[in-house]
C-alpha cells in the first residue's frame, strides 16, 4: 500500500472487500470452533497490512510478523516476489495465496493465483509474432525481478524462432580468469538509443516504476510507438503523464482476466470512499477476488479456520480433483455442505491448482493505448501455467 506500485495494492484490497461483502451476503462461513462446536455462521475478516514499497523485504517481513501475531488463517500477498517470500518466511505453516508474484518461491505453503513470468512471456511472444515482429529489442533496468522476466521473454521468443537483437541476457557467459569491471548502467535514453540502433521490429520495455522514462526516450527518439510493447505492472493509465496521442497504439500484456464492469466500478468506488485513492488500474483485482473466495471455500470444506485445514483444502475447492462447476461463493459453499466435490470457476477464469500449487491455466489480457493514453482491453490469450516436459524425438 506504499511505494510506486501502491495503487495495485489498493485495487487488490478493494476486490478482497467485494469478495467479503459477497460472502457475508451468502451468510458467511459455517465452521466449528472449540467454543462453538455446532458450526455457526461466521464472518470473514480482512487484516490489511502494508508489505512495503515493492522490493523492500524488511518491510514485508515486518508485515508478515504482524500477521503472524494476529494468527490469521490465510495470507494474500503481495506485489513482488521478494515481498511474498519474506511474508512466507514470517509465517511458517500458514497458506499464502500469491496474487502477482511471478518468480519461483520454494515453499509448500505457497499457492500461486497469478501466472508465472514465462506464461506472460508466452502471451507476449504470441502477440509480437502475430503482429509481424520477428526481431525485437528489450530495454529496462536489470534487477532480480526484471532479469527473470527478461530471461522468460527471450526464451519464449527463441522457441518461436524469433530474434532478440538487443537486451538479451547471456545465459552461457564465457569464463574469465580475472575480474571484469562492471559495465556502467545505461540511462533510459542510452538504453533506448542502443536498442533502436540494433534495428528491431519492436521494442519491449521490461520495467515497472521506471517505465515513463523509457517511454519518453522512445518518443523523443522518434520510435514508432505502435511498435512499443509493455508488460504487467507498467500497463497503467498515463493520461496525466504524457501528451494526448503520445502512446497511441502501444500494446501491453497483463496477467489475468480483465475485471468485469461491476468489479471495476466497485474497486474504484470503494477506494475513493474509504481511502480517498483514485485507482488508475484494476490489474489483478479479479485474482484478489478469487483468492478471497477460494480461501473462504477452503475454510468451509473442512469446517475449520486453522491454517493447516485451509492449506489442504485449497486444491480440492479449486477443482484439482474435478467436481461440480460453481461460479460464486454461495453456490460453491452450498455444494460443499452437501458433501459434493466442487470446481470453483471465478471471475479471473483461473484453472484449478496443479499438484505443485500453480494454477493450471490462466488468461493473459491484451491492452492497447487510446489517444488519451489510457489502456483499453482488446482481447485474451489463454496459456497453460505449467510447461509440458520437453520430449526427445
Amino acid at each position: 500500500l506504499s511505494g510506486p506500485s501502491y495503487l495495485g495494492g489498493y485495487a487488490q484490497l478493494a476486490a478482497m472487500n467485494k469478495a467479503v461483502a459477497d460472502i457475508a451476503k451468502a451468510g458467511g462461513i459455517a465452521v466449528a470452533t472449540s467454543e462453538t462446536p455446532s458450526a455457526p455462521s461466521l464472518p470473514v475478516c480482512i487484516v490489511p497490512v502494508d508489505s512495503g514499497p515493492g522490493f523492500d523485504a524488511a518491510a514485508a517481513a515486518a508485515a508478515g510478523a504482524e500477521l503472524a501475531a494476529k494468527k490469521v488463517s490465510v495470507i494474500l500477498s503481495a506485489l513482488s516476489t521478494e515481498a511474498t517470500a519474506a511474508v512466507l518466511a514470517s509465517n511458517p505453516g500458514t497458506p499464502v495465496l500469491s496474487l502477482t508474484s511471478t518468480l519461483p518461491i520454494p515453499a509448500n505453503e505457497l499457492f500461486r493465483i497469478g501466472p508465472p513470468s514465462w506464461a506472460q512471456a508466452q502471451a507476449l511472444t504470441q502477440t509480437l509474432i502475430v503482429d509481424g515482429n520477428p526481431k525485437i529489442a528489450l530495454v529496462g533496468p536489470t534487477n532480480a525481478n526484471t532479469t527473470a522476466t527478461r530471461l522468460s521473454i527471450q526464451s519464449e521468443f527463441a522457441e518461436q524462432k524469433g530474434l532478440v537483437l538487443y537486451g538479451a541476457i547471456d545465459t552461457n557467459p564465457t569464463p574469465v580468469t580475472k575480474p571484469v569491471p562492471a559495465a556502467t548502467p545505461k540511462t533510459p535514453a542510452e538504453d533506448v538509443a542502443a536498442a533502436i540502433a540494433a534495428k528491431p521490429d519492436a521494442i519491449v520495455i521490461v520495467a515497472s516504476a521506471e517505465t515513463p522514462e523509457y517511454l519518453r526516450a522512445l518518443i523523443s527518439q522518434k520510435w514508432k510507438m505502435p511498435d512499443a510493447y509493455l508488460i504487467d505492472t507498467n500497463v497503467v493509465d498515463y493520461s496525466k503523464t504524457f501528451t494526448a496521442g503520445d502512446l497511441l497504439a502501444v500494446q501491453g500484456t497483463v496477467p489475468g482476466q480483465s475485471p468485469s464492469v461491476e468489479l471495476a466500478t466497485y474497486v474504484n468506488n470503494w477506494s475513493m470512499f474509504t481511502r480517498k485513492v483514485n485507482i488508475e488500474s484494476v490489474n489483478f483485482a479479479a485474482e484478489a477476488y478469487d483468492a478471497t473466495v477460494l480461501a473462504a471455500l477452503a475454510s468451509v470444506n473442512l469446517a475449520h479456520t486453522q491454517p493447516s485445514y485451509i492449506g489442504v483444502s485449497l486444491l480440492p475447492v479449486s477443482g484439482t480433483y474435478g467436481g461440480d462447476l460453481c461460479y460464486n461463493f454461495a453456490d460453491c459453499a452450498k455444494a460443499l455442505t452437501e458433501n459434493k466435490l466442487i470446481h470453483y470457476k471465478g471471475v479471473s477464469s483461473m484453472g484449478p491448482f496443479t499438484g505443485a500449487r500453480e494454477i493450471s491455466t490462466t488468461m493473459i489480457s491484451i491492452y492497447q493505448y487510446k489517444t488519451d493514453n489510457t489502456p483499453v482491453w482488446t482481447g485474451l490469450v489463454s496459456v497453460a501455467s505449467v510447461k509440458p516436459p520437453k520430449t526427445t524425438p
Side-chain angles (χ1 to χ4, degrees), residues 296-344:
L297 289 173
S299 186
V300 172
N301 187 51
L302 293 177
H304 219 298
T305 59
Q306 286 297 317
S308 58
Y309 284 81
I310 292 177
V312 299
S313 293
L314 282 166
L315 266 63
V317 299
S318 77
T320 302
Y321 311 115
D324 294 343
L325 272 173
C326 50
Y327 300 91
N328 55 63
F329 174 82
D331 291 344
C332 291
K334 182 176 184 294
L336 287 173
T337 58
E338 295 170 352
N339 294 319
K340 293 180 179 178
L341 193 62
I342 68 165
H343 173 187
Y344 171 67

Side-chain angles (χ1 to χ4, degrees), residues 102-103 117 121 144-154 206 231:
T102 59
L103 305 184
S117 59
N145 208 36
T146 58
T147 296
T149 302
R150 191 176 291 209
L151 284 168
S152 296
I153 294 171
Q154 69 185 55
V206 186
I231 61 165

Side-chain angles (χ1 to χ4, degrees), residues 19-393:
V20 166
D22 290 345
I23 293 166
K25 188 176 180 181
I29 56 175
V31 298
T33 67
S34 57
E35 293 82 9
T36 53
S38 59
S41 179
L42 296 177
V44 175
C45 303
I46 296 176
V47 180
V49 179
D50 183 14
S51 61
F55 307 131
D56 190 337
E66 184 176 344
L67 294 175
K70 294 183 177 180
K71 298 181 180 179
V72 297
S73 301
V74 63
I75 297 171
L76 277 62
S77 175
L79 279 177
S80 74
T81 301
E82 292 84 352
T84 298
V87 170
L88 272 161
S90 304
N91 290 269
T94 302
V96 174
L97 291 163
S98 170
L99 305 175
T100 63
S101 303
T102 59
L103 305 184
I105 304 176
N108 291 332
E109 293 84 11
L110 180 69
F111 298 80
R112 201 199 306 265
I113 298 291
S117 59
W118 70 262
Q120 184 175 190
Q122 189 181 83
L124 177 64
T125 293
Q126 291 181 33
T127 303
L128 286 163
I129 296 298
V130 168
D131 289 350
N133 298 307
K135 297 178 289 185
I136 65 170
L138 305 174
V139 298
T142 52
N143 53 47
N145 208 36
T146 58
T147 296
T149 302
R150 191 176 291 209
L151 284 168
S152 296
I153 294 171
Q154 69 185 55
S155 173
E156 292 296 323
F157 204 67
E159 286 191 14
Q160 296 299 319
K161 311 303 181 185
L163 296 176
V164 181
L165 301 181
Y166 173 85
I169 296 172
D170 186 359
T171 56
N172 295 293
T174 303
V176 293
T177 56
K178 61 181 180 179
V180 176
T184 303
K186 292 183 174 68
T187 66
E190 293 169 338
D191 202 9
V192 165
I196 293 175
K199 301 186 183 306
D201 299 311
I203 293 178
V204 179
I205 299 176
V206 186
S208 54
E210 312 87 357
T211 299
E213 293 305 313
Y214 285 89
L215 287 169
R216 289 189 184 95
L218 287 171
I219 294 166
S220 66
Q221 296 182 43
K222 310 299 183 184
W223 178 253
K224 306 179 297 296
M225 296 310 285
D227 295 329
Y229 291 77
L230 308 177
I231 61 165
D232 207 341
T233 56
N234 59 14
V235 182
V236 297
D237 182 344
Y238 291 114
S239 59
K240 298 178 182 177
T241 309
F242 294 97
T243 303
D246 278 353
L247 306 186
L248 182 62
V250 171
Q251 290 191 80
T253 57
V254 176
Q257 178 77 275
S258 180
S260 65
V261 173
E262 179 190 8
L263 181 56
T265 300
Y266 182 98
V267 165
N268 281 287
N269 290 346
W270 182 91
S271 301
M272 283 298 297
F273 183 75
T274 63
R275 302 296 177 102
K276 301 297 186 291
V277 172
N278 182 31
I279 298 295
E280 297 175 358
S281 170
V282 291
N283 297 351
F284 303 108
E287 286 72 21
Y289 181 95
D290 279 348
T292 309
V293 173
L294 277 171
L297 289 173
S299 186
V300 172
N301 187 51
L302 293 177
H304 219 298
T305 59
Q306 286 297 317
S308 58
Y309 284 81
I310 292 177
V312 299
S313 293
L314 282 166
L315 266 63
V317 299
S318 77
T320 302
Y321 311 115
D324 294 343
L325 272 173
C326 50
Y327 300 91
N328 55 63
F329 174 82
D331 291 344
C332 291
K334 182 176 184 294
L336 287 173
T337 58
E338 295 170 352
N339 294 319
K340 293 180 179 178
L341 193 62
I342 68 165
H343 173 187
Y344 171 67
K345 191 73 171 179
V347 295
S348 69
S349 299
M350 60 170 276
F353 286 121
T354 67
R357 302 171 304 281
E358 299 271 4
I359 53 173
S360 52
T361 59
T362 188
M363 296 292 187
I364 306 293
S365 291
I366 310 299
Y367 288 83
Q368 190 169 53
Y369 279 81
K370 301 183 296 181
T371 303
D372 64 356
N373 299 323
T374 61
V376 59
W377 182 87
T378 60
L380 285 171
V381 175
S382 177
V383 296
S385 286
V386 180
K387 273 192 172 182
K390 292 184 178 179
T391 57
T392 303

